[in-house]
Amino acid sequence: MIHSRNRRLRVNESIRSLVRENTLTTDDFVMPIFVMEGGNQQEAIPSMPGIFRRSIDLTVKECKELFSLGVKSVNLYMKVSEHLKDNTGKEAWNKDGLMQQTIKAIKDAVPEMIVMPDVALDPYSIYGHDGIIENGKIVNDATNDALARMSVSHAEAGADIVAPSDMMDGRVLAIREALEESGFADVGILSYSAKYASSFYGPFRSALDSAPKDNMEIPKDKKTYQMDFHNSREALNEVFKDIDEGADIIMIKPGLPYLDIVSKVREAIDLPIAVYNVSGEYAMVKAAAQNGWLDNDKTIIESLTCFKRAGADMIFTYFAKEAAMILNK
């Protein structure tokens, strides 16, 4: 006779929900948003169905709708005009730049929205790299100086948390010291500590035109600074260094193919962990759903819940708005 029957706790939804270990809510989501120049402008991103580049006014409207759905955090990316790009990234700390205007507009319209601007030079670079290039190489320390100036500029505009995604060595310390010296001790740092050189970023780079340029004199990819996807122990090394330098939240990117990294980091640290459900993951689900191969809503919720089960506290996802609508049903 069987005395222990696990199925007793799966008999119906009421029992299943009673013993459920992880629950997904709208509080878990951070919505990445693409911003472009102009007014009343919106452009669809073909590789990311349902995602758009928007001008500031429409971005503010979108943020109001997100907040009403329970999504209380946004992550900002700029589509920078070509004439503003160079090898220094100086447009990134222009007090009247597109990013700075966007931060101010969102905080004025939705003060309680948590605004996390991306900190990296690739949208501002003529080369499409996250750092300054000298003699054909991405230079680390000069890039850190630029990232620190960029972060202070974001803080001055009203950012709650800055999110360096570049993977330069020591940039968290440079940013933390610059924020402290500028009077922004309360501005947090969400560090992309374990960001892998991944093939899953393709749709994102097309959305911002931020892929490395085809130039024989510069690296053709980002493997000299982003992590090798073959490695896992290295992720802990990166995480511990960023914590020592003053990071408040740790990011792991990409998401679904890297759940083992999320779990490994969760076991090692007590700080909040963010995970990025990246553009390629979004595009795959959307393509399969549009072809009738997957159930769109069920796949979204299952995928996002997997991040919570692995140990993530927050999820950067292009599904944020759609998932909020599903959960609110």
Side-chain angles (χ1 to χ4, degrees):
M1 181 181 297
I2 300 174
H3 293 282
S4 178
R5 295 180 183 271
N6 291 344
R7 289 182 57 192
R8 293 189 190 112
L9 301 183
R10 303 173 194 154
V11 170
N12 55 49
E13 177 57 23
S14 295
I15 292 176
R16 291 192 295 271
S17 63
L18 183 66
V19 299
R20 190 159 288 153
E21 298 173 29
N22 297 285
T23 302
L24 191 70
T25 77
T26 58
D27 291 334
D28 298 319
F29 302 146
V30 180
M31 179 70 181
I33 289 182
F34 301 119
V35 185
M36 60 183 287
E37 298 279 3
N40 196 33
Q41 297 292 310
Q42 177 172 288
E43 295 178 352
I45 300 170
S47 57
M48 301 174 69
I51 303 299
F52 301 87
R53 289 181 289 264
R54 296 182 176 90
S55 53
I56 293 177
D57 53 343
L58 296 187
T59 297
V60 168
K61 182 179 179 182
E62 180 72 1
C63 286
K64 289 179 178 178
E65 185 172 354
L66 285 167
F67 200 83
S68 72
L69 291 168
V71 179
K72 302 169 186 174
S73 303
V74 292
N75 177 219
L76 302 180
Y77 299 89
M78 302 296 111
K79 176 68 169 66
V80 180
S81 299
E82 289 297 320
H83 74 279
L84 296 175
K85 297 182 180 183
D86 63 11
N87 188 36
T88 71
K90 64 180 183 296
E91 178 62 21
W93 54 86
N94 177 1
K95 64 182 179 63
D96 298 315
L98 183 60
M99 176 69 87
Q100 289 74 8
Q101 292 183 52
T102 304
I103 295 169
K104 291 175 183 175
I106 294 172
K107 293 301 290 185
D108 285 345
V110 196
E112 295 181 13
M113 177 71 82
I114 299 301
V115 177
M116 305 184 193
D118 180 63
V119 177
L121 297 185
D122 49 336
Y124 302 89
S125 169
I126 54 174
Y127 298 115
H129 273 288
D130 292 48
I132 296 168
I133 292 181
E134 294 177 4
N135 300 318
K137 295 182 179 180
I138 291 87
V139 293
N140 195 92
D141 296 0
T143 297
N144 284 348
D145 292 340
L147 298 173
R149 294 185 69 177
M150 185 178 183
S151 298
V152 171
S153 177
H154 291 174
E156 290 172 343
D160 301 283
I161 299 171
V162 294
S165 63
D166 55 286
M167 288 297 288
M168 298 297 120
D169 293 331
R171 92 279 205 209
V172 173
L173 180 60
I175 292 170
R176 184 73 272 160
E177 290 181 344
L179 290 171
E180 296 285 335
E181 291 169 3
S182 301
F184 295 108
D186 291 336
V187 172
I189 298 177
L190 183 150
S191 175
Y192 287 60
S193 299
K195 181 179 180 180
Y196 286 82
S198 173
S199 299
F200 287 89
Y201 303 148
F204 172 93
R205 290 176 179 168
S206 65
L208 291 184
D209 188 27
S210 62
K213 305 306 179 189
D214 187 9
N215 185 324
M216 293 296 291
E217 298 179 357
I218 64 172
K220 64 180 179 179
D221 53 40
K222 302 189 177 187
K223 293 181 179 179
T224 65
Y225 46 100
Q226 293 179 359
M227 283 182 56
D228 184 342
F229 65 79
H230 298 85
N231 298 347
S232 63
R233 295 193 304 272
E234 183 185 8
L236 291 176
N237 187 335
E238 293 281 1
V239 166
F240 291 143
K241 285 181 177 178
D242 284 359
I243 293 173
D244 288 342
E245 291 178 15
D248 301 289
I249 302 170
I250 296 302
M251 168 69 85
I252 294 157
K253 182 180 181 180
L256 288 175
Y258 295 82
L259 291 178
D260 62 315
I261 306 301
V262 178
S263 181
K264 186 184 291 285
V265 173
R266 176 74 290 160
E267 291 176 358
I269 71 170
D270 294 324
L271 260 63
I273 294 175
V275 65
Y276 206 129
N277 181 211
V278 300
S279 59
E281 300 168 50
Y282 176 90
M284 289 191 299
V285 171
K286 281 299 179 185
Q290 288 177 351
N291 279 283
W293 301 332
L294 292 174
D295 182 293
N296 182 78
D297 293 6
K298 291 179 180 178
T299 305
I300 289 171
I301 298 304
E302 181 180 346
S303 298
L304 298 180
T305 302
C306 287
F307 296 124
K308 294 293 296 292
R309 190 186 66 233
D313 299 288
M314 64 196 74
I315 306 163
F316 285 53
T317 178
Y318 302 97
F319 289 121
K321 183 178 182 180
E322 192 172 1
M325 291 178 175
I326 297 168
L327 293 174
N328 288 340
K329 290 179 181 177

